[in-house]
């Protein structure tokens, strides 16, 4: 008798506001990698106006245009579910504008409007000296402590300053990220990074790390996809000519 | 009875203002140099030369575009998707209406729609006084300012090439400001009533003919472009055939009442008269494009029957929907540049083997994250070949969509050896390569 598959609840936050760069791809990757391992993923796509689920294991937040980002930050602060999720140790993973929203505040738009974030990461974002657009290559120490590349595409006008309580997520070899040679920030089970969209598709170890955080640090059996390894090889070669 | 083509169409354009002999000479030299550059480009097999002709001309005579736009009756066609096809449909309608005076028409049929592409097309037909111009979204404001078009067609507005256009709202604002500045001299706008950003941009126009194309793509509009509040939508009702509409929850912006609607493949006007356009280009979205073209043609004075007869002649605008031979393989070419375009193109690809070609050159957008906003899941059960420089990005997307596929990055090899006809969907750069390879 097969046992009932374990349900894992994944919430994709405000797809219509924060989904401009294919950010739903991160939800596709997380749910498929759960399914391929025998879990039963339950995906909730939360739209503005609807409350966030209180019981999700993993919350995913994407990127959006300035007005959408400001609107989303206000709604999320009022909702409160992400703050509670972080307190109870659920995984909260934001990219691009989603990363900025997880911080203390961000400055966007024509009038440099300062908007308060959720304060889950000790970072502050202000307008950078140039827009960061292009491939990003970084290195993080994976869940097992082994150095791994992060490959993605970033497109953001804000640069991010880390406060004393924010660990950078990775160092940056190509691209801008936070603007100081690092990208992203991590605090417990909350992670933010600049490369947007299907970042987790290009970085399966990071995808599994986020899943594992959502499951209380559980170890997951490996999944091997040669195409993903080939994609990573190609993107690395594209940003490191001659190496 | 549908209105017949009228005297309005026969009306010649107001003549251009006289220019000094020096300026005339400079224009003439710029045109000659542009022509020489285009010929060199063609001889070396690098392309039609349209783009290089315009670049050389505008380098030598920065006012060339303004000069070339003078003395013509202009219709500009813009939007994210469907510009080229709509331009061809509209040009064919006007050509039919002009009859034996069809030589009065100039159009940039090759899809070269930036400043230099438009200048190139106009320079080759100095005496044509009716111009149907495909116009890139970034060039709309300049064409409105410099050319004072009679009609401006705004098809749709969707995210595309975000690595270059960071915010589509900024483009919408440039249209709105240009229309406001033109005031009573501005164009009549033919615009898609379903797109909030287009409705907001067209609010400043002196007059708008609204078209409802019954499109289902809504993923790019969730906030009001005027006040930033959320938009409320009613969904289309398949029982009654009524289309959905939208309104802002924070201000008065709402979907305007359409003057022309598309319903079940027919174009319906405000009086309930219906026409079924007998198009040779496929897909419901091309009926929507035809509705825009029909509205624009009628504003120019083309009769409805003439317009429909003209549009019927369009088969493969700039290679779109063309069938070509690649060795023993017969392939139909479809272009898709962004999630909205893919949502339209994928249902048209009906062959058992489908070839998908992806690149990330500047013209395609360097970021392929959009692959994750396309519902490739619908290809499950088909034989899919991934090709182009970013074939492996697509392969990973298909792996997660659980769609079986092969990877063959080389375009020629991906197309070789298919005994049955195949449909090919390509982003811009591989699409142009396929046109050259297939001679279409």
């Amino acid at each position: 008798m097969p046992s009932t598959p374990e349900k894992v609840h994944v919430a994709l936050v405000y797809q219509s506001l924060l989904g401009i760069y294919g950010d739903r791809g991160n939800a596709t990757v997380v749910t498929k990698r759960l399914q391929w391992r025998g879990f039963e993923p339950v995906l909730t796509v939360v739209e503005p106006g609807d409350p966030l689920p209180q019981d999700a294991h993993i919350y995913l937040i994407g990127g959006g245009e300035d007005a959408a980002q400001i609107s989303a930050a206000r709604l999320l602060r009022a909702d409160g579910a992400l703050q509670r999720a972080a307190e109870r140790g659920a995984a909260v993973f934001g990219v691009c504008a989603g990363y900025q929203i997880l911080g203390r505040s961000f400055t966007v738009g024509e009038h440099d409007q300062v908007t308060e974030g959720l304060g889950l990461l000790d970072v502050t974002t202000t307008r950078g000296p140039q827009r960061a657009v292009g491939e990003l290559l970084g290195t993080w120490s994976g869940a097992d402590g082994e150095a791994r590349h992060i490959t993605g595409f970033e497109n953001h006008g804000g640069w991010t300053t880390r406060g004393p309580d924010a660990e950078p997520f990775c160092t940056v070899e190509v691209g801008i990220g936070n603007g100081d040679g690092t990208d992203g920030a991590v605090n417990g089970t909350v992670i933010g990074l600049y490369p947007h969209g299907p970042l987790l598709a290009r970085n399966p170890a990071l995808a599994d790390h986020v899943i594992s955080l959502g499951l209380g640090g559980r170890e997951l059996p490996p999944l091997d996809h040669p195409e993903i390894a080939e994609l990573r090889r190609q993107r690395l070669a594209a940003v490191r000519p001659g190496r | 009875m549908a209105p017949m083509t009228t005297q309005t169409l026969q009306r010649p354009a107001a003549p251009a203002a006289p220019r000094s002999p020096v300026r005339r000479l400079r224009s003439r030299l710029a045109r000659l140099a542009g022509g020489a550059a285009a010929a060199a480009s063609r001889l070396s097999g690098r392309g039609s030369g349209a783009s290089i002709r315009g670049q050389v001309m505008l380098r030598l005579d920065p006012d060339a575009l303004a000069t070339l736009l003078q003395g013509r009756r202009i219709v500009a066609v813009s939007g994210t998707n469907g510009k080229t096809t709509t331009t061809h449909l509209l040009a064919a309608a006007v050509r039919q209406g002009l009859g034996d005076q069809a030589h009065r028409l100039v159009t940039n049929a090759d899809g070269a729609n930036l400043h230099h592409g438009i200048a190139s097309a106009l320079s080759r037909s100095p005496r044509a006084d009716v111009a149907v111009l495909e116009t890139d979204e970034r060039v709309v404001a300049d064409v409105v300012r410099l050319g004072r078009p009679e009609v401006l067609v705004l098809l749709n507005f969707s995210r595309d090439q975000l690595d270059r256009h960071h915010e589509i709202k900024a483009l919408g604002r440039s249209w709105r400001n240009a229309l406001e500045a033109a005031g009573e001299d501005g164009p009549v706008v033919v615009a898609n009533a379903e797109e909030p950003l287009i409705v907001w941009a067209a609010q400043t126009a002196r007059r708008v003919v609204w078209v409802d194309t019954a499109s289902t793509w809504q993923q790019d509009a969730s906030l009001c472009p005027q006040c930033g509040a959320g938009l409320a939508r009613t969904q289309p009702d398949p029982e009654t055939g009524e289309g959905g509409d939208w309104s802002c929850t924070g201000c008065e912006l709402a979907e305007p009442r359409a003057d022309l609607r598309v319903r079940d493949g027919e174009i319906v006007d405000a009086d309930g008269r219906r026409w079924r356009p007998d198009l040779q280009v496929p897909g419901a979205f091309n009926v929507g494009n035809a509705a825009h073209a029909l509205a624009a043609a009628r504003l120019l004075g083309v009769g409805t029957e003439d317009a429909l007869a003209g549009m019927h002649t369009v088969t493969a605008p700039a290679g779109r929907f063309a069938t070509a031979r690649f060795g023993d393989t017969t392939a139909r070419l479809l272009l898709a540049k962004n999630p909205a375009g893919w949502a339209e193109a994928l249902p048209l690809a009906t062959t058992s083997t489908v070839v998908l070609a992806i690149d990330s050159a500047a013209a395609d957008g360097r970021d392929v994250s959009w692959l994750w906003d396309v519902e490739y899941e619908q290809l499950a059960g088909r034989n899919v070949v991934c090709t182009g420089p970013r074939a492996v990005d697509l392969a990973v997307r298909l792996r997660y969509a659980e769609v079986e596929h092969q990877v063959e990055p080389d375009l020629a090899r991906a197309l070789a050896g298919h005994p049955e006809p195949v449909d090919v969907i390509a982003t811009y750069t591989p699409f142009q390569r396929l046109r050259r390879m297939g001679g279409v």
Side-chain angles (χ1 to χ4, degrees):
Chain A
M1 277 280 288
S3 59
T4 314
E6 184 182 350
K7 284 188 178 166
V8 181
H9 194 174
V10 181
L12 177 60
V13 177
Y14 299 164
Q15 165 62 24
S16 65
L17 291 179
L18 299 173
I20 193 168
Y21 298 116
D23 304 287
R24 72 170 67 201
N26 287 333
T28 307
V29 169
V30 164
T31 52
K32 281 294 168 194
R33 294 182 80 81
L34 282 164
Q35 201 183 326
W36 291 336
R37 290 185 169 104
F39 292 95
E40 185 185 332
V42 179
L43 176 66
T44 303
V45 180
V46 188
E47 287 303 343
D50 297 337
L52 265 64
Q54 299 295 326
D55 63 345
H57 299 87
I58 301 167
Y59 294 82
L60 301 169
I61 316 163
E65 294 195 328
D66 295 346
Q69 179 181 3
I70 293 168
S71 187
R74 286 187 184 141
L75 288 168
L76 288 173
R77 276 168 46 77
D79 181 286
L82 286 181
Q83 293 93 320
R84 287 191 290 277
E87 277 167 29
R88 67 182 158 84
V92 178
F93 181 73
V95 294
C96 199
Y99 165 39
Q100 296 177 349
I101 288 172
L102 293 174
R104 295 194 181 282
S105 71
F106 57 88
T107 307
V108 294
E110 292 160 81
H111 309 296
D112 282 344
Q113 183 180 352
V114 180
T115 303
E116 207 175 328
L118 298 176
L120 300 179
L121 295 172
D122 182 17
V123 298
T124 304
T125 301
T126 51
R127 182 187 294 278
Q130 71 187 74
R131 194 172 177 92
V133 187
E135 293 276 336
L136 180 141
L137 177 64
T139 303
W140 68 300
S141 46
D144 52 6
E146 193 184 320
R148 284 197 172 83
H149 285 305
I150 286 284
T151 162
F153 197 99
E154 61 178 339
N155 187 349
H156 53 100
W159 292 26
T160 297
T161 308
R162 282 175 293 115
D165 295 334
E167 285 284 310
F169 186 80
C170 65
T171 56
V172 171
E173 178 182 324
V174 177
I176 289 174
N178 290 330
D180 64 353
T182 70
D183 184 35
V186 53
N187 178 17
T189 56
V190 181
I191 298 175
L193 279 165
Y194 267 117
H196 57 235
L199 175 64
L200 298 181
R202 284 206 209 172
N203 299 282
L206 176 57
D208 289 347
H209 179 53
V210 171
I211 294 170
S212 171
L213 286 176
L215 295 175
R218 203 180 315 176
E219 277 200 33
L220 301 166
L223 283 177
D224 222 13
H225 285 298
E227 282 171 338
I228 301 175
E230 171 61 14
L231 176 60
R232 286 174 64 77
R233 195 196 60 72
Q234 286 189 3
R235 296 330 300 156
L236 256 64
V239 296
R240 289 172 139 181
R243 283 185 61 173
Chain B
M1 262 298 275
M4 302 290 289
T5 294
T6 61
Q7 294 295 316
T8 313
L9 181 63
Q10 306 305 330
R11 175 168 66 79
R19 287 175 298 145
S20 72
V22 175
R23 290 220 37 210
R24 282 208 303 274
L25 183 63
R26 187 172 59 177
S27 300
R28 186 135 178 254
L29 288 174
R31 267 209 308 278
L32 286 170
S41 171
R42 272 195 308 278
L43 282 172
S44 63
R46 274 181 304 204
S48 74
S51 190
I52 187 76
R53 175 201 309 277
Q55 282 175 35
V56 168
M57 265 186 342
L58 290 177
R59 183 79 49 83
L60 294 175
D61 177 10
D63 296 329
L65 180 60
T67 309
L68 287 162
L69 286 165
Q70 298 303 309
R72 310 191 202 241
R73 301 178 60 191
I74 293 165
V75 188
V77 179
S78 197
T80 312
N81 290 318
K83 286 188 289 286
T84 300
T85 299
T86 306
T87 299
H88 278 248
L89 291 169
L90 178 54
V94 173
R95 196 176 289 118
Q96 183 80 21
L98 285 169
D100 58 7
Q101 293 193 22
H103 57 273
R104 287 176 55 198
L105 175 72
V106 56
T107 182
N108 51 341
D110 54 2
N113 60 13
L114 293 166
H115 292 89
H116 40 79
I118 293 170
S120 174
L122 293 174
S123 75
R124 302 187 71 189
S125 300
R127 272 182 279 279
D129 68 341
V130 182
V132 175
L133 299 176
E134 175 180 340
T135 308
D136 184 89
E137 297 92 297
R138 290 163 286 171
V139 184
V140 167
D142 281 349
V143 167
V144 168
R145 185 169 56 85
L146 299 171
R148 288 286 182 256
E150 271 182 44
V151 182
L152 170 64
V153 179
L154 300 177
L155 292 167
N156 48 57
F157 220 151
S158 167
R159 78 202 116 115
D160 186 34
Q161 299 186 14
L162 286 170
D163 57 321
R164 280 194 284 159
H165 311 159
H166 308 303
E167 298 243 346
I168 55 178
K169 189 174 171 191
L171 281 172
R173 188 179 295 111
S174 78
W175 299 359
R176 184 179 163 94
N177 292 346
L179 290 168
E180 187 164 27
E184 283 304 303
D185 292 336
V188 177
V189 175
V190 173
N192 191 333
E194 296 162 286
E195 302 240 354
L197 190 51
I198 289 208
V199 170
W200 175 73
Q203 267 185 332
T204 53
R206 69 179 167 94
R207 184 184 155 205
V208 185
V209 175
W210 296 110
V211 182
D212 175 351
T213 64
S215 148
T216 52
W217 183 260
Q218 301 173 352
Q219 287 188 27
D220 291 311
S222 54
L223 290 183
C224 175
Q226 181 156 275
C227 76
L231 296 173
R233 293 181 186 275
T234 60
Q235 293 304 314
D237 183 347
E239 297 277 301
T240 62
E242 280 306 302
D245 59 14
W246 56 268
S247 58
C248 177
T249 56
C251 71
E252 77 295 348
L253 199 71
E255 180 165 336
R257 200 181 130 78
D259 300 287
L260 277 184
R261 290 179 300 142
V262 173
R263 290 292 177 268
D264 302 324
E266 291 187 322
I267 302 172
V268 187
D269 75 4
D271 300 325
R273 287 180 297 182
R274 311 171 85 89
W275 297 275
R276 183 167 288 279
D278 181 18
L279 299 177
Q280 301 196 65
V281 286
F285 63 95
N286 276 328
V287 182
N289 290 336
H292 282 89
L294 176 64
R298 294 212 292 207
L299 286 168
L300 277 184
V302 181
T304 303
E305 297 306 327
D306 275 352
L308 293 172
M311 292 197 283
H312 171 72
T313 64
V314 174
T315 54
R320 287 136 180 89
F321 321 108
T323 297
R325 299 279 296 173
F326 299 86
D328 291 334
T329 301
T330 302
R332 186 170 62 139
L333 306 184
L334 303 166
L335 171 69
K337 300 183 291 187
N338 46 50
W342 280 88
E344 291 160 352
L346 275 171
L348 295 179
T350 51
T351 51
S352 61
T353 297
V354 180
V355 179
L356 307 178
I358 311 292
D359 198 356
S360 59
D364 305 285
R366 296 195 181 280
D367 179 13
V368 296
S369 296
W370 56 264
L371 288 170
W372 294 81
D373 278 329
V374 179
E375 295 210 15
Y376 290 109
E377 284 79 359
Q378 63 190 280
L379 293 174
R382 313 271 283 283
N383 177 27
V384 180
V385 181
C386 308
T387 186
R390 300 302 291 269
V392 177
D393 293 77
L394 175 64
V396 170
R397 170 71 187 95
L398 294 179
R399 171 68 54 219
Y400 279 101
E402 299 188 330
V403 172
E404 289 301 313
H405 56 273
Q406 307 154 44
V407 176
E408 176 43 82
D410 183 80
L411 274 181
R413 282 205 290 271
L415 278 164
H418 299 287
E420 301 286 324
V422 295
D423 285 330
V424 183
I425 311 179
T427 64
Y428 189 80
T429 304
F431 184 83
Q432 298 300 353
R433 277 197 60 206
L434 289 164
R435 282 182 65 193
R436 285 197 293 278
M437 287 162 60
V440 292

